[in-house]
Amino acid sequence: MKISAVKTFPVNIGSGSQLVIKIETDSGIHGWGASGLSGRELAVIGAIEHYRPLLIGRNPMQIGAIWQDLYRGQYFEGGRVLTAAISAIDIALHDIKGKALNVPVYELLGGKQRDYVECFASVRFSTFDELMEQSKRMVSEGWNMLRLAPAEFEAQEDISLFEPRDSIALLSDWMVKLRKEVGFKVTIGIDYHTRLTPAETYSFMKRMPEGTLDFIEEPIRDENPEAYENLRKMIDIPFAIGEEFSSKWQFLPFIERNITQYARIDVCNVGGITESMKVASMAEAHYIDLMPHNPLGPICTAATIHVAAACSNFSWLEEVNTGAHVLTNDPNYYPVQHKLEGPRYPVPTGPGLGVEFNEELALKEGFKPIEIPRLKRKDGSFTNW
């Protein structure tokens, strides 16, 4: 069996964008993959264009060798664009191999260790009423873990304005009221989306009673592990870090120094299923659980389900299609996809990833690149979205 074609399908789904790839073989078996570098689909397509001649004619079963070739075959290896492309390719190759051997992808990874993959509900809100209404609904539907995605700045007249200290004052009050409302059986975390400094993060945490939050996700930028290490000494709740990481080497200091307590691995950015399993093993050696990032569509979800099924150190999988966030799993684009049963995904039994994509619709609808919103402070300076 040889790789005969590598095709790219950038698409607009819901309010976001996705990049799906298809790898075809001369035996008729195909595989689906996805890139996680949202908003930079055209850059990733450019990387895949470079990789295509290296893939055509290769044996798709040699996944590890192909990964090494794509990553190390040029002097300037790595980086988010290249590893996003490698991730998509690697996931598609696993899909092909599972289909060729007539087994689920997790059987290629050592077999399943659980019957279902527990999820957390991603709750996006801009007002206090939205926070309370959506959180109570999620709990009533059986979700026992809420990851809050605040967008309180969108309730303002100027939705591009974000002032950290104003946000801290508002959200810390809302968190206390939410905890009182839902009780302590529900796990609550918050994703501050790198919008704070270490000092601001400390102030945020000190404004709430102990036990209000169970973890905080990426309150500051991740380029400097030492900054996170110092912040780790200042506050006493777990960190969830890593959704932007594009290799095991980026995870290394955060795992080895026990800076993070949850590894927010993104299968579609870190280097695919191959690299995800290596990060999972590193984390396992340090008693760190996986809390995978999953903001894309059903291909990312499926790939992560198979990784989670094969790992012992797994906690929750992110789920954004809860009615309290965004639509990424449009069945018109994904006629075959994994379905939630309450707050969890059953571990699948069919061959490959268990997902199919409507390439005809993608070609018909076309693609328009999307830029994420920009935020500024009151003085006009740029700040993180």
Side-chain angles (χ1 to χ4, degrees):
M1 182 166 55
K2 304 293 183 183
I3 295 173
S4 58
V6 181
K7 300 178 180 179
T8 56
F9 301 94
V11 291
N12 302 111
I13 297 179
S15 60
S17 53
Q18 300 177 29
L19 174 59
V20 173
I21 79 160
K22 182 184 185 183
I23 297 182
E24 298 177 347
T25 67
D26 60 4
S27 69
I29 298 174
H30 67 269
W32 296 106
S35 156
L37 199 59
S38 301
R40 293 294 178 261
E41 288 82 9
L42 299 182
V44 179
I45 289 172
I48 293 173
E49 293 293 329
H50 282 286
Y51 286 144
R52 181 179 286 109
L54 303 175
L55 293 168
I56 301 300
R58 297 284 295 270
N59 180 353
M61 307 291 269
Q62 296 176 342
I63 299 174
I66 290 174
W67 194 101
Q68 293 293 330
D69 185 8
L70 299 183
Y71 190 90
R72 298 166 60 193
Q74 282 286 322
Y75 179 69
F76 296 103
E77 73 278 356
R80 286 180 178 147
V81 173
L82 294 183
T83 56
I86 293 172
S87 297
I89 292 165
D90 184 87
I91 291 167
L93 294 177
H94 277 86
D95 193 22
I96 289 171
K97 191 165 188 174
K99 291 172 179 175
L101 299 177
N102 198 34
V103 296
V105 166
Y106 60 75
E107 294 291 2
L108 311 177
L109 312 176
K112 72 173 185 177
Q113 300 195 34
R114 51 183 46 83
D115 295 324
Y116 58 83
V117 172
E118 198 76 36
C119 299
F120 69 71
S122 184
V123 180
R124 193 175 190 274
F125 60 93
S126 59
T127 67
F128 176 71
D129 289 342
E130 283 183 355
L131 168 64
M132 298 300 284
E133 177 186 351
Q134 294 175 9
S135 296
K136 288 191 288 185
R137 178 173 63 83
M138 294 291 97
V139 172
S140 71
E141 292 176 1
W143 297 83
N144 60 13
M145 202 286 224
L146 307 177
R147 196 289 307 272
L148 309 178
E152 75 289 347
F153 48 86
E154 292 182 354
Q156 307 169 132
E157 183 176 348
D158 183 357
I159 63 173
S160 68
L161 183 65
F162 178 80
E163 197 62 44
R165 291 289 173 176
D166 293 346
S167 175
I168 288 169
L170 195 65
L171 291 180
S172 58
D173 178 57
W174 292 1
M175 296 304 101
V176 174
K177 292 175 180 176
L178 176 64
R179 174 59 77 187
K180 184 177 180 180
E181 180 67 30
V182 302
F184 286 95
K185 289 185 178 180
V186 178
T187 301
I188 300 176
I190 188 169
D191 176 13
Y192 237 115
H193 222 258
T194 74
R195 297 186 185 119
L196 303 181
T197 65
E200 290 162 351
T201 305
Y202 178 80
S203 294
F204 175 66
M205 293 308 306
K206 294 301 288 184
R207 289 170 184 250
M208 294 174 288
E210 184 177 351
T212 301
L213 292 176
D214 294 294
F215 69 89
I216 186 168
E217 179 182 342
E218 301 193 326
I220 68 173
R221 299 293 299 178
D222 59 40
E223 292 95 340
N224 187 339
E226 286 73 22
Y228 253 120
E229 195 167 32
N230 289 331
L231 184 58
R232 172 71 288 156
K233 298 172 185 176
M234 296 168 65
I235 66 175
D236 61 356
I237 71 167
F239 286 151
I241 307 169
E243 68 182 50
E244 295 182 276
F245 293 172
S246 58
S247 74
K248 55 182 166 288
W249 294 286
Q250 275 190 283
F251 268 103
L252 191 61
F254 288 85
I255 291 174
E256 286 192 334
R257 301 183 204 170
N258 289 295
I259 297 172
T260 189
Q261 286 66 56
Y262 294 106
R264 287 283 283 147
I265 189 168
D266 188 322
V267 177
C268 294
N269 274 328
V270 78
I273 292 171
T274 296
E275 191 80 339
S276 294
M277 294 302 292
K278 294 177 181 179
V279 174
S281 295
M282 290 163 49
E284 180 185 6
H286 290 78
Y287 311 116
I288 294 171
D289 281 349
L290 307 182
M291 188 191 292
H293 185 231
N294 180 37
L296 296 173
I299 294 173
C300 182
T301 298
T304 313
I305 287 171
H306 287 277
V307 169
C311 294
S312 63
N313 54 323
F314 168 77
S315 55
W316 298 277
L317 170 62
E318 178 175 356
E319 178 55 51
V320 298
N321 294 287
T322 60
H325 207 292
V326 295
L327 173 68
T328 67
N329 61 356
D330 187 340
N332 292 310
Y333 282 97
Y334 295 99
V336 178
Q337 60 178 280
H338 298 292
K339 300 293 180 65
L340 279 170
E341 292 185 2
R344 58 183 62 94
Y345 284 103
V347 173
T349 58
L353 290 175
V355 176
E356 291 296 333
F357 179 74
N358 187 342
E359 58 188 292
E360 290 80 14
L361 178 62
L363 292 171
K364 175 184 175 184
E365 293 296 326
F367 174 67
K368 181 179 179 180
I370 294 176
E371 286 290 333
I372 64 170
R374 300 296 198 269
L375 291 180
K376 63 180 184 297
R377 298 184 64 169
K378 291 178 181 178
D379 62 7
S381 61
F382 184 82
T383 193
N384 292 331
W385 180 77

